Amino acid sequence: QQQVKQSPQSLIVQKGGISIINCAYENTAFDYFPWYQQFPGKGPALLIAIRPDVSEKKEGRFTISFNKSAKQFSLHIMDSQPGDSATYFCAASTGTYKYIFGTGTRLKVLA
Amino acid sequence: GAVVSQHPSRVICKSGTSVKIECRSLDFQATTMFWYRQFPKKSLMLMATSNEGSKATYEQGVEKDKFLINHASLTLSTLTVTSAHPEDSSFYICSAIKREDTGELFFGEGSRLTVL
């Protein structure tokens, strides 16, 4: 019940395309859903996050869509660029701030 | 955004020695810090939760005598890998929550430990 399932494991997108990464969870106590971007040899950096009271949040080219009834949320990267090539992790947490991370998606954007 | 600094970024040590990794919140006070371990191309595995002024809380399966965590101040937590062995080689990452919490975690740059 504490798992966060992330898919796909890897993703190849053409420059300018849309990258979509999906996550699903079971624990309805989760109330914070962030997405992190990680480059090789670096720590994760927060991209965007959402709480269950909204269904969508957009920041620049990054959008989170949240479906509370389905217990799913996704990251959309619009106009994907080669510089977006990285590993992306979704996560979920409760008020204890113990984050449960997804398994990661390695995104490669072709020039 | 908030800045979390880790040091060293890379460390190589001989088997049997101990290694200390520091995690500092540079521009905010962090009552709670977390230590993660990440294997190549894998997700982040929470090792322990570090609270300022109290003992760390370790996740199941993490040896507290092997991975000593100290949170001596509101801006510093340390992870000491004691009697390191090659299987302890990994990428260790700390994170911190701001005192006035938003629920947002700020991660350090990570420390690559290689045990020969």
Side-chain angles (χ1 to χ4, degrees), chain A residues 16 19 24 29 32-33 35-36 42 56-57 62 69 76 84-85 92:
Chain A
S19 303
Y32 183 68
F33 303 89
W35 284 90
Y36 283 84
K42 299 293 185 182
E56 186 175 281
K57 184 175 182 180
F62 302 96
S69 60
H76 295 233
D84 296 330
S85 297

Side-chain angles (χ1 to χ4, degrees), chain A residues 9 32 34 36 38 41-46 51 87 89-90 93 96-104 106, chain B residues 10 32 34 36 38 41-44 46 49 59 91 93 97 101-110 112:
Chain A
Q9 189 173 16
Y32 183 68
Y36 283 84
Q38 185 180 30
K42 299 293 185 182
L46 179 67
R51 292 194 182 274
T87 299
F89 292 97
C90 64
S93 73
T96 62
Y97 312 120
K98 285 177 66 172
Y99 281 31
I100 306 298
F101 283 89
T103 49
R106 298 181 73 192
Chain B
R10 291 178 182 271
T32 304
F34 301 88
Y36 292 83
Q38 188 177 32
K41 300 181 182 180
K42 297 295 184 182
S43 189
L44 292 85
L46 179 64
T49 302
E59 295 300 304
F91 194 53
I93 311 173
I97 291 179
D101 70 81
T102 60
E104 182 178 340
L105 271 184
F106 296 93
F107 283 86
E109 288 284 287
R112 171 78 58 195

Side-chain angles (χ1 to χ4, degrees), chain B residues 83-102:
Chain B
S83 186
H85 291 282
E87 58 265 29
D88 299 324
S89 299
S90 193
F91 194 53
Y92 293 89
I93 311 173
C94 72
S95 65
I97 291 179
K98 275 187 172 180
R99 196 174 195 181
E100 297 81 38
D101 70 81
T102 60

